[in-house]
Amino acid sequence: MPSKTSLTLPKLTAKAQKIFNAWIRNRDKDLGCISCGGEVQHAGHYLSAGHHTALRFDEYNVNGQCLRCNNFLHGNLIRYRQGLVAKYGENKVNLLENYGSRVKKWSRLELEWICQNYKQ
Ligand SMILES: [Zn+2]
């Protein structure tokens, strides 16, 4: 139910991303960085959230990464892809890449569901 304190859509999107990313980091903490096996410090998108809106909250598209790979190596994407193939298989990665160009506008209801579903 909307209230005076409800967040703007951009803020709600940021909140949902923060909660989702924390869930990803926790899921992957023992697996290590998808690109190099290092310590999981971030949740990194394989296909960027800004350009691939449908995959912003996709459990396959977002994986634990170290700070170095996520920030300084801009995702370390060649190694990221190798890590994804090892984790999920070539077919899944191809599906992700084919699906990636779809545009999705996330609704308030969906974002609120993500906040609730992934909250730890
Ligand atoms: Zn790394």
Side-chain angles (χ1 to χ4, degrees):
M1 189 180 294
S3 70
K4 278 185 210 158
T5 57
S6 51
L7 298 171
T8 62
L9 208 56
K11 282 191 176 162
L12 185 58
T13 304
K15 183 186 173 190
Q17 191 74 70
K18 197 176 164 195
I19 289 169
F20 182 79
N21 286 2
W23 183 87
I24 294 284
R25 285 198 305 276
N26 186 58
R27 181 195 69 182
D28 292 350
K29 62 180 191 289
D30 296 330
L31 298 175
C33 170
I34 186 90
S35 304
C36 77
E39 187 192 345
V40 170
Q41 295 157 307
H42 284 222
H45 285 75
Y46 173 54
L47 301 170
S48 71
H51 290 109
H52 307 89
T53 51
L55 298 176
R56 176 183 277 279
F57 302 107
D58 187 284
E59 291 180 14
Y60 297 96
N61 188 48
V62 189
N63 292 273
Q65 276 201 308
C66 70
L67 175 70
R68 181 170 170 269
C69 286
N70 190 42
N71 283 17
F72 302 114
L73 301 177
H74 307 289
N76 199 358
L77 291 179
I78 292 172
R79 298 277 303 275
Y80 197 141
R81 193 181 195 285
Q82 291 168 351
L84 271 184
V85 170
K87 194 171 176 183
Y88 301 118
E90 181 77 35
N91 282 350
K92 185 68 206 173
V93 178
N94 287 335
L95 277 176
L96 210 57
E97 288 167 343
N98 291 335
Y99 191 80
S101 58
R102 293 187 201 185
V103 175
K104 174 168 174 58
K105 264 187 84 105
W106 293 85
S107 72
R108 179 169 289 279
L109 202 66
E110 289 171 319
L111 293 168
E112 279 166 358
W113 183 85
I114 286 164
C115 290
Q116 280 181 16
N117 193 50
Y118 289 99
K119 201 164 200 161
Q120 296 170 89

